[in-house]
Amino acid sequence: MASSLTANVSTPALAPLVEPAADLSPAEVERYSRHLIIPEIGALGQRRLKNAKVLVIGAGGLGAPALLYLAAAGVGTIGIIDDDVVDLSNLQRQVIHGVSDVGRPKTESARDAIAGLNPLVDVRLHNVRLDPSNALELFSGYDLILDGADNFATRYLVNDAAAILGKPYVWGSIFRFDGQVSVFWEQHGPTYRDLYPEAPPAGSVPSCGEGASSACCAPPWDRSW
C-alpha cells in the first residue's frame, strides 16, 4: 500500500506593529462593540488599533474610502498626504468629499469628514506633494503606509522610502472594473520594485482620466492578472 507524508510548514508569526493602548473607555467599548466580539480582534486588537498610526497617501479614489474605514475602525492616528483641491468631477468616486467641499484642499475636506464619523481619531494633515525630500521624514512618524497614489513615480518613491525605513505598506490600484491590492514589506518578502523593476514607457498605459469609469488611481500596467 502506498503511503504519503504531509509536512506541516508554517510561517513564523510576525510581532504586532504596535503595543496596545490603555483600556478602552465605555464610549469606545460601545462604539467598537462589533469589533470586540470578533475573536481575531477583541479588546486587545482594538487597543492596538487605537495606538496605531497610519499614513494615507492621497485622498482620492483609493484613499477616500480607505480613510473612512480606517477612522470607523478606530485607528487612533491617521495622516493624510495630498496637495490637491476637491473638484466636482471627484465626487463620482472620492466619497469622503461633498459638494460643499469643492475648491477646498482635499486634506481639510477629508479631516472634516473623519471628524464627523469618529471624533476620537487624531487626524494629521500633510498638505504637500510627496517627493524624495520629504518622504523619509513623513513616513518615520507612522507604523503603516497606505499608498493611494495616482502615478508611477510616487509608487516607486513610496516603495523605496518604506524599504529604507523598514515600514510595511499597503498598495492598491484600480482600472475600471478591475483592481489589485497587496502588502509589501521589504524585510519579509518581495517589494513593488522587485515585481516591477521599471515603470512602463510613457504612453503605454491609460491615464487616470481614461480609466475612471467608476474609480481610478494608478491603473495597473501589468495586465497579466
Side-chain angles (χ1 to χ4, degrees), residues 28-117:
E28 289 170 326
V29 170
E30 181 178 3
R31 174 182 285 270
Y32 306 123
S33 61
R34 297 305 184 270
H35 268 178
L36 301 183
I37 62 177
I38 300 175
E40 292 81 1
I41 301 178
L44 181 62
Q46 193 64 50
R47 287 163 56 203
R48 291 191 192 280
L49 287 172
K50 180 179 178 178
N51 223 21
K53 299 179 178 66
V54 177
L55 177 63
V56 178
I57 302 168
L62 289 177
L67 285 163
L68 291 173
Y69 275 99
L70 289 170
V75 171
T77 301
I78 298 176
I80 310 170
I81 299 179
D82 203 309
D83 68 340
D84 200 5
V85 298
V86 180
D87 185 82
L88 186 62
S89 65
N90 298 149
L91 304 185
Q92 162 260 357
R93 63 200 179 279
Q94 300 179 18
V95 294
I96 203 167
H97 312 297
V99 172
S100 62
D101 297 313
V102 172
R104 298 182 65 202
K106 288 185 178 180
T107 52
E108 296 181 8
S109 171
R111 174 201 59 200
D112 293 349
I114 289 172
L117 177 64

Side-chain angles (χ1 to χ4, degrees), residues 179-203:
Q180 288 180 304
V181 65
S182 186
V183 177
F184 296 113
W185 197 351
E186 199 264 347
Q187 298 174 349
H188 302 283
T191 67
Y192 183 79
R193 190 177 287 278
D194 292 328
L195 295 178
Y196 309 121
E198 297 180 0

Side-chain angles (χ1 to χ4, degrees), residues 55-67 81-82 94 106 130 139 145-151 154-155 158 169-174 208 216-219:
L55 177 63
V56 178
I57 302 168
L62 289 177
L67 285 163
I81 299 179
D82 203 309
Q94 300 179 18
K106 288 185 178 180
L130 187 70
F139 285 18
I145 314 300
L146 192 153
D147 178 13
D150 63 357
N151 64 85
T154 302
R155 290 202 178 277
V158 171
Y169 77 96
V170 180
W171 165 88
S173 65
I174 297 173
C208 257
C216 175
C217 279

